[in-house]
Amino acid sequence: LKELRNSVPFMETSTSVSSVSASRCRGTANQTGFEMAASTPLLEHWVSAYRNDHRGRPLLDIGCAYGRNVLAAAQRLEGSRSDGTEVQIVACDCAKEHLAVVDELEISGVKTAWGKLPEDLEEAAAVASDVGGFSGILLSEVLHQLPGSSIEKTLMAMIDLLAPGGTLCITMFSPNANFSGGACPVGKHMRHVFEERRGEGKRWPGEGFRLKELLEELKAPVHLDAEAMKCFCAYHHCATAEQLRRAAEEAGFQVLLAQQARHPGHAEAFWGEGGESTQLVAVKPKPSEMEI
């Protein structure tokens, strides 16, 4: 567990900005990506869902990795329940190694559950059934690993897991993201293909990029050791705020926020011209708000 908790440098080069070496991401145990170097920019939206739920129904973090967002939320909620024993946050991940790390942290009010998107979420569903649904669900940097059809299934599953009036928070990569310092050939290529597909009317023009292969083929200047390089996801999906908004509304959500902005956990050398992170906040309507 100690080895798993050690940070893996996302990128360190002599030309990269100084914050990259000070701010590290962790390669995931299942080598499918990285835990961001800072909490989700939607943390307050997610935590507020719990604070505003009069029944105190718990939060759910799907794809929790080593628990950065879970810990940040727990710190903000400390003391908000008088007995200190009820579950405030369920940390869910498909890698048991990640859940073991979260369990070892012994965070008050946190329960772990194994689960995998889009629909293998039985342990989280059991909690939802017991409490009447989650007050808020966070999907932080996980949807970019799914094709569009699975994103749509995931959104439908979130509707089932949320309590009426519950909040869904999502961040994922937009087409504006880069993956190496300077003029990123991979980002440029992906944006070109994305626009071509969008012009052809593709519903999800950003799905299906083979990121690892592109980094090698286009000789992108990413300076990582071999172990860290393994953590780049093989499959990559980028989506715009409007594409994510459309899918959420079709699943039955009311969208409060859909934007493309900077993510504080991304290394600056991966920034493009702005809007590299697609961010969405949406709510499950209460029965009285649903169309008849």
Side-chain angles (χ1 to χ4, degrees):
L1 292 180
K2 182 178 180 180
E3 181 180 351
L4 285 174
R5 288 196 302 270
N6 289 337
S7 296
V8 177
F10 193 62
M11 183 173 70
E12 289 187 334
T13 73
S14 59
T15 58
S16 62
V17 292
S18 58
S19 64
V20 175
S21 58
S23 174
R24 295 168 180 259
C25 297
R26 302 183 190 185
T28 56
N30 52 1
Q31 297 184 338
T32 60
F34 295 83
E35 181 183 67
M36 295 295 99
S39 302
T40 173
L42 302 181
L43 182 65
E44 290 304 324
H45 290 278
W46 185 45
V47 171
S48 292
Y50 178 86
R51 289 179 176 143
N52 296 334
D53 187 283
H54 70 281
R55 291 178 54 182
R57 286 173 285 209
L59 300 170
L60 174 64
D61 180 2
I62 301 179
C64 66
Y66 302 106
R68 180 184 294 278
N69 291 316
V70 169
L71 180 58
Q75 290 171 338
R76 283 162 174 76
L77 294 175
E78 188 174 5
S80 60
R81 295 295 175 215
S82 58
D83 62 8
T85 60
E86 71 174 274
V87 174
Q88 295 175 309
I89 308 167
V90 175
C92 179
D93 203 278
C94 65
K96 292 181 179 179
E97 299 93 332
H98 294 159
L99 300 180
V101 171
V102 175
D103 281 334
E104 195 190 47
L105 294 174
E106 297 182 344
I107 309 169
S108 177
V110 172
K111 171 186 175 69
T112 55
W114 185 90
K116 186 175 183 179
L117 295 174
E119 298 169 304
D120 196 356
L121 298 166
E122 287 85 356
E123 292 184 23
V127 177
S129 177
D130 289 341
V131 300
F134 292 98
S135 59
I137 298 177
L138 176 66
L139 298 174
S140 174
E141 311 307 315
V142 292
L143 293 188
H144 67 276
Q145 299 184 31
L146 301 177
S149 59
S150 293
I151 289 178
E152 292 164 3
K153 290 179 182 178
T154 294
L155 291 170
M156 293 301 298
M158 299 305 100
I159 280 281
D160 292 338
L161 289 173
L162 279 168
T167 301
L168 174 66
C169 298
I170 297 173
T171 60
M172 67 180 294
F173 285 103
S174 85
N176 293 356
N178 284 333
F179 299 94
S180 63
C184 176
V186 173
K188 182 178 180 180
H189 169 79
M190 291 172 63
R191 284 186 285 277
H192 175 73
V193 174
F194 180 93
E195 291 303 331
E196 278 191 342
R197 292 174 178 174
R198 182 156 63 174
E200 294 168 357
K202 301 287 187 183
R203 179 172 174 83
W204 294 99
E207 66 181 355
F209 287 106
R210 301 296 175 183
L211 185 53
K212 283 185 179 180
E213 294 177 13
L214 286 172
L215 287 167
E216 294 175 0
E217 291 174 7
L218 299 177
K219 302 186 186 320
V222 180
H223 300 277
L224 290 170
D225 60 41
E227 289 304 308
M229 194 68 188
K230 291 177 182 178
C231 293
F232 270 110
C233 56
Y235 183 97
H236 182 82
H237 187 168
C238 54
T240 66
E242 285 310 305
Q243 288 158 1
L244 199 55
R245 173 194 286 274
R246 175 202 65 207
E249 290 176 342
E250 289 176 354
F253 283 98
Q254 293 177 350
V255 175
L256 305 181
L257 172 71
Q259 66 180 16
Q260 289 171 220
R262 289 250 157 98
H263 191 303
H266 288 178
E268 286 188 30
F270 288 177
W271 291 356
E273 296 181 358
E276 298 87 0
S277 171
T278 292
Q279 303 169 5
L280 181 131
V281 179
V283 297
K284 175 181 176 177
K286 297 178 181 178
S288 60
E289 299 170 340
M290 295 180 180
E291 294 184 6
I292 300 176

